Amino acid sequence: RSLPDALALLSKHNGETKILAGGSELLLLLKMGLIKASHIIDIKKIPGLDRVGYDPQAGTIHIGPLVTHRTLEKSEIVGRHFPLLAEMERDLANVRIRNVGTLAGNLCFAEPHADPAAVLAVYDAVITLRSSERERRVAIKDFFTDYYETALEKNEMLTNIAIPKLPDNF
C-alpha cells in the first residue's frame, strides 16, 4: 500500500522477492524459469510512484518506478526538453510493451541490448535506490555491473530516475 511497506517486505524476505511494476519482463522470465522468486511485491497501486516531474530550475526530469514507456513517449515535457529520450521511447519494442513496461523495470533487468540504458548514459542520468535503512544515488554508468546485473542490493528498490537536460549546444 505504500513505499515503506514495500521496502519492509523486501527487507523481510531478503533476496527472495521480485518487484512487479509493469511486469512485461518479469513475467516472461518467471514463465521461462530463468529467474525464481518466492514472493512478488506488486507496487502498481502505490500512490506517487507513477509521476513524471520536471524541475525547470535544475533542468532535470524525475521519473518514478511506475512510469511507463508510453507515458514518456507521449509526454509533452519529455518531447520538448528531452527529445532523444522521446525518440527512443517511440521506437522501443511495440505499443503493447510501451503501454505496460516501465523504464525502471527495463533498467533493473539490465538487458544488454536494451536502448534505454544507452540513452540515459548520454544524459548522465542518476538512479535513486532505497531500502528500509537508507537511500543512495548511483550514476547510470555505475548502475550496470554486468550483463543482466545491476548495483541494486537484495533489499533495495529503484525509486527515481533523474535525467538532466542536455546542453543546448549538444
Side-chain angles (χ1 to χ4, degrees), residues 10-117:
L10 276 173
S11 181
K12 177 181 177 183
H13 298 294
N14 195 26
E16 300 172 7
T17 305
K18 297 293 182 195
I19 294 177
L20 176 66
S24 58
E25 294 188 66
L26 176 65
L27 296 177
L28 177 65
L29 293 175
L30 285 168
K31 284 180 186 177
M32 293 173 66
L34 296 174
I35 62 171
K36 295 185 188 310
S38 59
H39 299 86
I40 303 287
I41 300 173
D42 185 347
I43 65 168
K44 290 180 190 174
K45 294 184 180 178
I46 296 177
L49 297 184
D50 61 347
R51 293 197 181 122
V52 176
Y54 180 62
D55 178 350
Q57 297 288 66
T60 302
I61 193 168
H62 294 274
I63 300 169
L66 291 179
V67 175
T68 66
H69 294 289
R70 187 75 165 168
T71 298
L72 295 170
E73 173 189 358
K74 296 293 187 183
S75 168
E76 183 182 325
I77 290 170
V78 173
R80 183 180 319 133
H81 300 288
F82 303 86
L84 182 61
L85 178 62
E87 181 179 341
M88 182 273 303
E89 291 292 1
R90 277 191 301 275
D91 292 337
L92 186 91
N94 58 52
V95 172
R96 186 191 72 75
I97 295 295
R98 292 194 305 270
N99 278 331
V100 297
T102 64
L103 180 58
N106 181 281
L107 296 177
C108 288
F109 279 100
E111 157 68 54
H113 301 291
D115 293 336

Side-chain angles (χ1 to χ4, degrees), residues 150-161:
T150 69
L152 261 170
E153 294 177 2
K154 292 178 181 182
N155 63 344
E156 287 181 321
M157 179 178 145
L158 188 156
T159 57
N160 185 60
I161 304 162

